[in-house]
Amino acid sequence: MGMDGILALAGANLVSPIILSFLLGLVAALVRSDLSFPEAVAKGLSLYLLFAIGFKGGAGVAAHGVDALLVAALFAGVILSILLPFIAFAMLRFLTRVPVIDAAAVAGHYGSISIVTFVAASSLLAGRGIPAESYMIAVAAAMEAPAILSALWLAARRGGTAERVGAELWREILINGSIILLLGAFAIGWFTGEAGLAEIRSFIVDPFKGVLCLFLLDMGLVAGRGLRSSRGVLSLGAVIFGIVMPLVGATLSLAAGLALGLSFGGVVLLMVLGASASYIAVPAAMRVALPEANPALSLTLALGVTFPFNLTLGIPLYLLLAGAVTGN
Amino acid sequence: MGMDGILALAGANLVSPIILSFLLGLVAALVRSDLSFPEAVAKGLSLYLLFAIGFKGGAGVAAHGVDALLVAALFAGVILSILLPFIAFAMLRFLTRVPVIDAAAVAGHYGSISIVTFVAASSLLAGRGIPAESYMIAVAAAMEAPAILSALWLAARRGGTAERVGAELWREILINGSIILLLGAFAIGWFTGEAGLAEIRSFIVDPFKGVLCLFLLDMGLVAGRGLRSSRGVLSLGAVIFGIVMPLVGATLSLAAGLALGLSFGGVVLLMVLGASASYIAVPAAMRVALPEANPALSLTLALGVTFPFNLTLGIPLYLLLAGAVTGN
Amino acid sequence: MGMDGILALAGANLVSPIILSFLLGLVAALVRSDLSFPEAVAKGLSLYLLFAIGFKGGAGVAAHGVDALLVAALFAGVILSILLPFIAFAMLRFLTRVPVIDAAAVAGHYGSISIVTFVAASSLLAGRGIPAESYMIAVAAAMEAPAILSALWLAARRGGTAERVGAELWREILINGSIILLLGAFAIGWFTGEAGLAEIRSFIVDPFKGVLCLFLLDMGLVAGRGLRSSRGVLSLGAVIFGIVMPLVGATLSLAAGLALGLSFGGVVLLMVLGASASYIAVPAAMRVALPEANPALSLTLALGVTFPFNLTLGIPLYLLLAGAVTGN
Amino acid sequence: MKMHEAKRVEIIIEAVMEGRLTNALNEAGVTGYTILPVSGGSGRSGQWSREGQVGRAGGMVAVICLIHPDRLDALLESAFAVVERHIGVVSVSDTYVLRAERF
Amino acid sequence: MKMHEAKRVEIIIEAVMEGRLTNALNEAGVTGYTILPVSGGSGRSGQWSREGQVGRAGGMVAVICLIHPDRLDALLESAFAVVERHIGVVSVSDTYVLRAERF
Amino acid sequence: MKMHEAKRVEIIIEAVMEGRLTNALNEAGVTGYTILPVSGGSGRSGQWSREGQVGRAGGMVAVICLIHPDRLDALLESAFAVVERHIGVVSVSDTYVLRAERF
Ligand SMILES: Nc1ncnc2c1ncn2[C@@H]1O[C@H](COP(=O)(O)O)[C@@H](O)[C@H]1O
Ligand SMILES: Nc1ncnc2c1ncn2[C@@H]1O[C@H](COP(=O)(O)O)[C@@H](O)[C@H]1O
Ligand SMILES: Nc1ncnc2c1ncn2[C@@H]1O[C@H](COP(=O)(O)O)[C@@H](O)[C@H]1O
Ligand code: NA
Ligand code: NA
Ligand code: NA
């Protein structure tokens, strides 16, 4: 598929209600409308999405079984999560003049993952009838935390002053709410299987895409407000980083996915995980452990640049790339 | 259809879960039960309703096409919104002794519209299988703001001291959250059409009426609390205004709708828009621009008198009136 | 059915997504994850559940009619609610050393009922195709408040210093939000019947179980946090009470249900009501009327011991007991 | 700007008692106050948080009342009658207000 | 610990005016403040509560501002210009802060 | 009514540090405090708002602590150790409390 194909696919992706809802939020925030979601509603939507995506993943594993690949995929995810921050750090130091401590914090975000980007990609795959390994959601959970380790190591090593990371912080990171909810729902879905899914299908399957629209509308609002209030935070180099880094992450993940022998859909999802940047778990950990790092920089990059890029152009691109390589 | 017909229709309307939920809330508040919805839940429900009604309107336009009438209907809506406050103002000054500034503020509410009244009427029409122009939701959005202009003009002209209405306030009014969300969702629905609707139908169509019940329960609670805490605010003249004004608004809108050549359903919806009074956009604008106006008066009238009147008796009446005139 | 049967049933019960969601919350709280639901979301979920369960009960009554048994069942419920606190009080004074005032407060909780336990039991019955009287939800509402009377009498009589319980407190208790919402929705469901249910079925029926999962997840989190923060509050005697008292309540209710001639399903639900302990209405009333009572004790017992017991082992046990006695 | 002496009373009280407190304040002629939500806390009766809670028990609110010094005693007496047997704290600080005619 | 004299300004103002107030503060060079949600209250214009409300009208927020005493007047003037015609209250108390370089 | 001298400490700190702060307070023997939600603010690190936010980073809470003047130093030291490297502000005001035995 040539450039035409890419554009056609990106175009098709762009006219989905999901993407347009995000753009609506972005535009509303940029024109300074007072449209806003209460914090509790946003959290409620995200609890729903985490529960639903975890449960469906687990039910999928119950239906299709699990093989040795699961362990290998988890392992690959962890390695990617540990490795990507080093690349991100080097790239940032090359492209921008941000201090070591900020570069380390940003790097941590890019090693970790954005679950809503993963959800949007799953949705696109499902819409096109492309199957993927159900346990990829567990891989997503496994990739949330390891990147933090690398970020802290980079900060400490390279002159930053990372707070002594006690057992307490590790506990917080490893069992943070979103990991527990994802993995817990995954376990419940796996355990109760098809029967469990049938019981709650009309809650977690049928309305899922609609809820995702509302959540992305909110994400658009938050991203837009972030962009507006941090004018000046982003240099050109940083913006370039925010677009090139996901491509690098996706490419490395493509290689890993092929090496593992994941399905076409699985490879795409791993690419999306590699390409996306955390906006929930890592920011909180960084505030605790690297309080001197500027949170506006990481969040604006992750939510204002990389997230929209992945959502609109990135995902279709990864789909095409994976398709070209695997012959799908 | 004679008086019997009116009563039969009003009766049928009254036994819908939607209306009864509102009455439940009203009663609960009047007996001072502590039943209450958290602010975030109420806002979440209203975000859902605005998104869903906007999207469905847009998808309807995509399905049935759009004609020159759309522009004419938008134009008529704007004119009604500008005109009605003058009538409301005169009627209030005649029926009550409220100060000029309060009369102007109330007038602004009645020129604008109540989206939930519109939603309840759409629901009733749909239940009876009466089609209506899908773009009426865009007309609703267009009627939200112009009335504010008239109210401010009345206040300034007639001795009130309206704050200099800067560009800032206009920006706020024209792109306030509910207008943006309605029109944005309308645009997305239009753009993605049937396919988009199919993707999120089980979120925005199937559970819609149930969500509306919960929202009206909350509206009943808020209206009842308002009535209780503003005993004494409403004179008899004001209550008469709160019931006669919607009839006047509906009648003028009926004339406009017939002149435009809207369908039977479209005429009814335009009447409902003319008859209803704002309880979200206008109150906020009035607090900024006419801080001396008593907010309890406007809100108690709009939410405690006119809204229940429209919901229970008004909508069936407008349906009958329009039916009698158009021969449906 | 022997011990095997009990275990098999309990096992089947345990692997439902509903129970597992509760356990997930419990575990997450016990390992001190930061997973949490905003207060507004928890309240929103509970408003939904009360509205849905009330409405469905009413619609059920509309469908199957109502007989003299309804009044008798309501009466029996009130008597149970008044009586059980005396047993609970005596048992607590025997098993533990808690002061009179605390024993009275706890006793009030156990005379009243837990609506979510009732909902979980209804769900289990429905899943096994066991019918039950639809009006049991009205019985549940009737059992909420009377126990408070007994608790206050016990506290005043036995040396405690119950605040003079004015008309104001009685009003608050009798028309507290959950009673009004349950009974109001019940009335609406009854009144609008099958037609009303059809209108909002895809909101209150289809997604019901899924919403219940999320709510139980939250209950697990709250129960787990309560257990964690009140280590030391519970003596062994208190824990024994928290498990034996539901058995006593269930047994008395079994007798009452048989005497009334309720159906098999109805008997089970009455047992569940007798066995469960309030965690919403009674705690609030006790804080007002018996401020010296230690709230941590009542809540930890009701939510941390009895609720999980009923949810996991109790309900299947009551089902078997009732089955054995009625020959089902 | 011209400021006027006043007292700032802060009452942290159980949410279930909110209505009783504001009624008592109204009866004592104190009609100006503001209520802030409280998300958690700790005291002699232990630690608590509103997260995920449904019931009204086990939560508190903060009532802030700016008042002319002369009227402080009436306020405190009516407030104390409500708070007395309940958990919660009452503190009074000196402050200055704009627009004294409002207090 | 070394504490430094400062003023604590508490402005309770209509939610619709929040943006205008913070803009005015920013223009007056006051860039440090914290906004607390308010759930209800009572004043000359009656009693209100945020429960179940959808619109932004009919709600208030509390803006807390710790400031060096020298800069108090500038703050009050800019705040007063916004609050003047609106309902709401402004109070100023003496306080002490850690880390004076921040104010 | 009989009032007793006390100190009112107000700590506005990042939400992610709430647990660490209350742990430190507990360890210093300070077991009475109340936590208020914060909806937005502005400081040297810019402006922020909780609207629509999902994560815990980028939000703050206000911890209010009424304490006997003698115990102020212990409190400040333990609080400062937590706040030190983080954004946030600490202020202390004189106040008077009812029921001194509680502090
Ligand atoms: N010293 C204090 N400073 C601030 N708030 C307090 C203090 N003591 C108690 N509180 C608040 O009042 C509630 C009840 O306190 P207590 O009666 O001591 O259990 C606590 O949970 C706190 O929210
Ligand atoms: N004396 C007061 N103390 C604390 N808050 C007040 C006071 N007076 C008014 N308020 C707050 O300001 C709002 C508007 O007051 P008012 O302009 O008097 O209607 C009230 O609803 C309260 O939230
Ligand atoms: N002078 C101040 N008065 C009140 N709150 C402040 C002040 N300075 C900072 N804050 C609060 O503390 C947060 C962090 O401040 P900063 O460390 O200056 O970025 C701000 O977002 C405000 O919520
Ligand atoms: Na990544
Ligand atoms: Na109108
Ligand atoms: Na019971």
Side-chain angles (χ1 to χ4, degrees), chain B residues 272-294:
Chain B
V272 167
L273 290 175
S276 66
S278 171
Y279 63 90
I280 298 189
V282 180
M286 291 296 133
R287 286 314 300 149
V288 173
L290 298 180
E292 290 85 3
N294 176 2

Side-chain angles (χ1 to χ4, degrees), chain B residues 37 161 218 225 287 292, chain E residues 14 20 50-52 85-86:
Chain B
F37 282 56
T161 53
D218 176 54
R225 266 204 328 259
R287 286 314 300 149
E292 290 85 3
Chain E
E14 292 182 80
R20 282 175 176 76
R50 281 308 295 165
E51 275 179 357
R85 293 179 53 220
H86 286 267

